[in-house]
Amino acid sequence: MKTVKGTVTIEGHELTITNPDKPLWPEMKITKLMYLQKLIRLAPYLLKYTTNRYLTTIRFPHGAGDEKSFYQKNAPEPVPSFVRTAELQGINYVVLDSVPTLIWLGNLACLEFHPSFHYVDDELPAEWVIDIDPTLEVEPRIMDAVDKIGDALDRMKIQAVPKTSGATGVQLFIPIERGYTFDQLRGIGLFLGNFLVEKYPKLFTIERLKKNRGDLIYVDYLQHYYGKTLSAPYTPRARAHATVSTPLFWDEVHRRVDPREYNLLTIEERLNKFGDLIDRVKPQSLDHVLSFLR
């Protein structure tokens, strides 16, 4: 007999859990209850990158792989009293800053968490993120491409942490000192993209339209902007292998690891062993690059 509904108390708040036995990642045999348990373990890491930010989620009412999914920007009604919201450009966003809020969203089959690049009521970027987006659904060159970008950033004296998107791409997460604008970071990104395209014309492009890219890998320096979002570090993704967006060691990039290795069934052991790799890079100055570009 299957459990239909139950309640849990988290941080003093009672939450109703519906259909706990429902398969959310059927191929991985992950039910909703298992998913919520995994979210609790991910929370200390995931919430660092969603707290005090505008959150977009992707909901999959029938589980990962089902075509009936949708982006949720406005907070789902009714909003529990413990859930914080914030308005931006006419949208009432959820602010994911607590475990009860995370479990409430998880129970609604929110399988992905995409926060803004800036904090609530702040116009400056919290970090710099470059999205490396393959045009092909299966792209065996992706880690080689990230390796080459890492070399270019090293020459620019910029420290980046590569992280799997959890989907097909990789993102470069760059902790920065406060004070830079989105436009300044776009300027550096454009310079980097042009350099890569010139040096590796058969590998990279900065063409935004997918139909015009051929088989090239897109260096997306434009997504990182005010009001836009991207998959958070440690968000699950609604992919067949229940992948999780995971920061990597550069040695793992050199070894051309398979992003499918980092998933809801393996991420806890990794975090227990290594912690959050992004914490190992201090916020850094980009003044030397901006001075060169000027």
Side-chain angles (χ1 to χ4, degrees):
M1 184 174 179
K2 291 188 176 182
T3 307
V4 176
K5 184 185 290 189
T7 61
V8 294
T9 300
I10 301 176
E11 297 179 1
H13 302 288
E14 188 175 275
L15 289 87
T16 299
I17 306 302
T18 56
N19 301 312
D21 298 321
K22 184 173 188 173
L24 291 184
W25 282 270
E27 293 184 21
M28 302 292 283
K29 296 181 170 53
I30 296 175
T31 64
K32 183 191 280 189
L33 181 59
M34 291 174 63
Y35 172 52
L36 298 181
Q37 291 169 337
K38 297 297 183 184
L39 285 182
I40 289 173
R41 295 183 177 98
L42 281 171
Y45 303 94
L46 174 61
L47 293 183
K48 286 197 297 183
Y49 302 101
T50 61
T51 293
N52 201 30
R53 303 190 193 216
Y54 305 95
L55 181 75
T56 297
T57 64
I58 309 181
R59 291 176 64 178
F60 289 77
H62 303 293
D66 189 272
E67 294 182 359
K68 295 179 181 177
S69 64
F70 59 95
Y71 281 80
Q72 179 96 54
K73 289 182 176 289
N74 272 300
E77 297 287 350
V79 179
S81 60
F82 57 80
V83 174
R84 179 187 170 198
T85 62
E87 187 171 328
L88 178 67
Q89 299 170 348
I91 296 172
N92 188 39
Y93 288 92
V94 169
V95 179
L96 176 50
D97 57 4
S98 71
V99 176
T101 300
L102 179 60
I103 298 307
W104 171 66
L105 291 171
N107 183 62
L108 294 174
C110 298
L111 303 190
E112 301 190 8
F113 303 95
H114 298 240
S116 61
F117 294 109
H118 54 91
Y119 299 119
V120 172
D121 296 328
D122 192 353
E123 295 186 355
L124 295 179
E127 64 280 310
W128 182 26
V129 183
I130 307 170
D131 190 21
I132 312 306
D133 186 16
T135 305
L136 303 177
E137 185 64 26
V138 178
E139 178 52 271
R141 303 172 297 171
I142 186 65
M143 289 298 171
D144 178 54
V146 172
D147 217 349
K148 288 177 168 56
I149 298 171
D151 288 343
L153 289 171
D154 279 345
R155 287 196 287 272
M156 296 167 71
K157 294 182 171 56
I158 296 174
Q159 283 186 280
V161 180
K163 80 174 182 77
T164 66
S165 69
T168 58
V170 174
Q171 289 135 16
L172 291 163
F173 194 101
I174 303 165
I176 57 172
E177 293 178 354
R178 179 171 170 79
Y180 300 108
T181 67
F182 282 104
D183 286 327
Q184 285 176 316
L185 298 181
R186 273 193 172 182
I188 302 174
L190 176 60
F191 173 80
L192 174 66
N194 281 331
F195 168 80
L196 292 167
V197 169
E198 185 175 337
K199 186 166 186 180
Y200 307 103
K202 294 183 178 180
L203 185 61
F204 293 112
T205 183
I206 55 172
E207 169 58 55
R208 191 151 180 83
L209 292 179
K210 192 169 185 177
K211 64 179 183 178
N212 296 334
R213 294 183 207 158
D215 65 350
L216 299 176
I217 294 172
Y218 177 40
V219 181
D220 187 353
Y221 65 93
L222 293 172
Q223 181 64 21
H224 185 263
Y225 210 67
Y226 183 79
K228 292 180 178 288
T229 65
L230 201 66
S231 55
Y234 308 109
T235 179
R237 299 302 299 268
R239 296 281 168 147
H241 292 85
T243 45
V244 172
S245 180
T246 304
L248 302 175
F249 291 102
W250 278 106
D251 281 351
E252 292 176 304
V253 175
H254 302 334
R255 289 191 282 108
R256 312 298 188 245
V257 292
D258 185 340
R260 293 175 297 184
E261 294 177 26
Y262 311 99
N263 57 61
L264 283 171
L265 301 181
T266 63
I267 189 65
E268 186 178 358
E269 181 181 356
R270 179 181 178 85
L271 290 171
N272 289 339
K273 187 174 182 180
F274 299 120
D276 182 6
L277 299 186
I278 295 173
D279 280 345
R280 302 186 182 202
V281 178
K282 293 181 179 179
Q284 57 203 295
S285 171
L286 301 176
D287 289 353
H288 60 290
V289 183
L290 291 169
S291 294
F292 172 78
L293 295 181
R294 283 196 294 269

